[in-house]
């Protein structure tokens, strides 16, 4: 009964910007952390950025200084603001939530993903 829905992906030119959104809905009791991951064909899914319930953020070295993760707690939404995009940022971006559902235990949930394509 928890759903994560990503949006905001698309096709942009190198140097451009996109903002990804991930809205969580359902029987959520609390969040521990949320994050963004990305995956390209033939490669492992990799961490992009995370944000804890306390607001602490982490970033992959490859995106540090270009991407910013943020949360709107009232809307149960996490954002990834991406600037100075590079062709190597092309991937399917997935939202992840480490959360506790009501009357349940802590667990991980994933969205369906949104495609980001950066042309050179």
């Amino acid at each position: 009964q928890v759903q994560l829905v990503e949006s905001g992906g698309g096709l942009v030119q190198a140097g451009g910007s996109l903002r990804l959104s991930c809205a969580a809905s359902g029987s959520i009791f609390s969040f521990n952390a949320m994050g963004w991951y990305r995956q390209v064909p033939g490669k492992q899914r990799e961490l992009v950025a995370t944000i804890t319930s306390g607001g602490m953020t982490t970033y992959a070295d490859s995106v540090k200084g270009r991407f910013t993760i943020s949360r709107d707690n009232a809307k149960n939404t996490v954002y990834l603001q991406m600037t100075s995009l590079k062709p190597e940022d092309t991937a399917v971006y997935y939202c992840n939530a480490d959360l506790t559902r009501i009357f349940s235990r802590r667990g991980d949930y994933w969205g369906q993903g949104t495609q980001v394509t950066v042309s050179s």
Side-chain angles (χ1 to χ4, degrees):
Q1 293 178 339
V2 173
Q3 301 88 40
L4 303 178
V5 180
E6 302 101 332
S7 62
L11 173 64
V12 298
Q13 294 184 345
S17 300
L18 284 174
R19 189 175 80 155
L20 306 183
S21 299
C22 173
S25 63
S27 303
I28 300 168
F29 178 75
S30 64
F31 287 90
N32 184 61
M34 297 186 73
W36 288 95
Y37 295 72
R38 66 187 182 187
Q39 188 171 28
V40 299
K43 293 183 179 292
Q44 296 293 116
R45 189 172 298 183
E46 65 175 353
L47 173 69
V48 176
T50 62
I51 184 167
T52 69
S53 59
M56 181 175 293
T57 59
T58 60
Y59 297 92
D61 289 341
S62 59
V63 307
K64 190 172 295 184
R66 299 187 297 119
F67 292 7
T68 302
I69 188 170
S70 61
R71 293 176 66 179
D72 185 335
N73 291 331
K75 298 180 179 179
N76 287 333
T77 300
V78 63
Y79 304 94
L80 185 68
Q81 179 66 51
M82 305 184 294
T83 62
S84 300
L85 283 162
K86 305 174 181 179
E88 49 264 44
D89 295 318
T90 296
V92 177
Y93 284 71
Y94 296 91
C95 178
N96 171 263
D98 175 6
L99 57 83
T100 301
R101 293 197 290 170
I102 58 173
F103 310 124
S104 188
R105 56 168 286 176
R106 177 177 171 179
D108 282 312
Y109 295 85
W110 293 89
Q112 294 295 110
T114 185
Q115 176 71 47
V116 172
T117 302
V118 184
S119 62
S120 60

